Amino acid sequence: MEDTLTIATAEGVRIYAITTKNLVQEAADRHHTSHLATAALGRAMSGALMLAATMKDGERILLKLKGDGPLGEVVAEAQGTSVRGYVGEPDVFMPLKNGKLDIGGALGQGTITLTRYLQNGESFTGHAELADGEIATDITNYLYMSEQTPSSVALGVLVDKEGKVLAAGGYFIQAMPGCDEEVLEKLGNNVAVTPYVTQLLELGYTPEKIIEVLARGLEFDIKESMPVKFSCGCSKDKILNMLAALSKDDIDYLTEQPDTEVHCQYCNKVYHFSSEELKQLKTN
């Protein structure tokens, strides 16, 4: 199944549903993540993509969950239909909790931070304490506490014993201003009896079908569906421009090294620069 984000409305409510199996697998392969780290990163990237869908074209979301547990942090950045991300400790391991990956235990206590980058260059950042470290609950709590937006978020990643991603995705229900309380109650009841999102995805449910399940009993309208992907905008030229902003002393030091290595946290790519390449920075 292609990674897809579908957006719908249902009587004063927006519903977003997403499948991200392929892009989560790509992130796992790039970062060489453990089962637990794959699940945490996959949840965060799925959530970030749905939050980015609430923004205007070109606007960007940076989602960061940072705790005192062994995972350290989970970071996901989404813009439009593209996402990238990383975890603090990709090799993290925790015993299963009630038969499930213990993402909350791996993150521990800490904060969730959401930054919205607008088209005009402004940015807005909000913070909230982690509710349980399971990411979906943390996003739901953040939206209610910091942005006064009644929402429901579900995220899931299913990984087999070999670390292969079998299913990934989620949904996001967001009440619009003036939404009828009866509609919210109906949606709440629907969510309460809906299986785990990974169960739906493993059965082959598309985002559109997930929305149909969530909105049963309500009139809903599918607005659009679009492919989503893992994508990092780093490049050798961009990193050279960043290096050019260093002080003269720092550039002089780097030019004395036979090789300078720069690592992109988001996609785990490593760039190498020769002394001759860096000397050019002093002439520009």
Side-chain angles (χ1 to χ4, degrees), residues 45-96:
M45 292 194 301
S46 297
L49 277 165
M50 291 189 288
L51 290 169
T54 69
M55 308 285 283
K56 295 178 181 178
D57 289 343
E59 296 183 340
R60 184 164 47 99
I61 287 283
L62 179 63
L63 174 67
K64 180 181 289 189
L65 301 101
K66 188 176 181 65
D68 59 5
L71 184 58
E73 63 180 352
V74 186
V75 180
E77 182 184 78
Q79 185 173 25
T81 57
S82 297
V83 68
R84 60 182 188 167
Y86 63 91
V87 294
E89 179 46 71
D91 294 326
V92 68
F93 172 82
M94 294 278 288
L96 295 178

Side-chain angles (χ1 to χ4, degrees), residues 60 114-125:
R60 184 164 47 99
L114 183 66
T115 303
R116 300 178 183 269
Y117 296 92
L118 308 184
Q119 288 176 324
N120 61 8
E122 292 184 19
S123 64
F124 296 92
T125 300

Side-chain angles (χ1 to χ4, degrees), residues 185-206:
E185 183 177 354
K186 178 65 176 175
L187 281 165
N189 291 335
N190 288 350
V191 167
V193 296
T194 297
Y196 288 121
V197 68
T198 47
Q199 293 177 308
L200 297 177
L201 293 167
E202 194 177 16
L203 289 171
Y205 275 54
T206 63

Side-chain angles (χ1 to χ4, degrees), residues 84 232-246 251 254 260-273 277-278 281:
R84 60 182 188 167
C232 186
C234 69
S235 69
K236 195 163 187 175
D237 286 342
K238 286 184 178 180
I239 292 176
L240 269 175
N241 288 334
M242 291 171 57
L243 294 174
L246 296 173
I251 294 176
L254 292 177
T260 295
E261 182 178 290
V262 179
H263 168 243
C264 176
Q265 270 188 307
Y266 282 100
C267 67
N268 211 27
K269 190 171 183 178
V270 176
Y271 294 89
H272 292 271
F273 299 91
E277 285 178 294
L278 296 177
L281 297 179

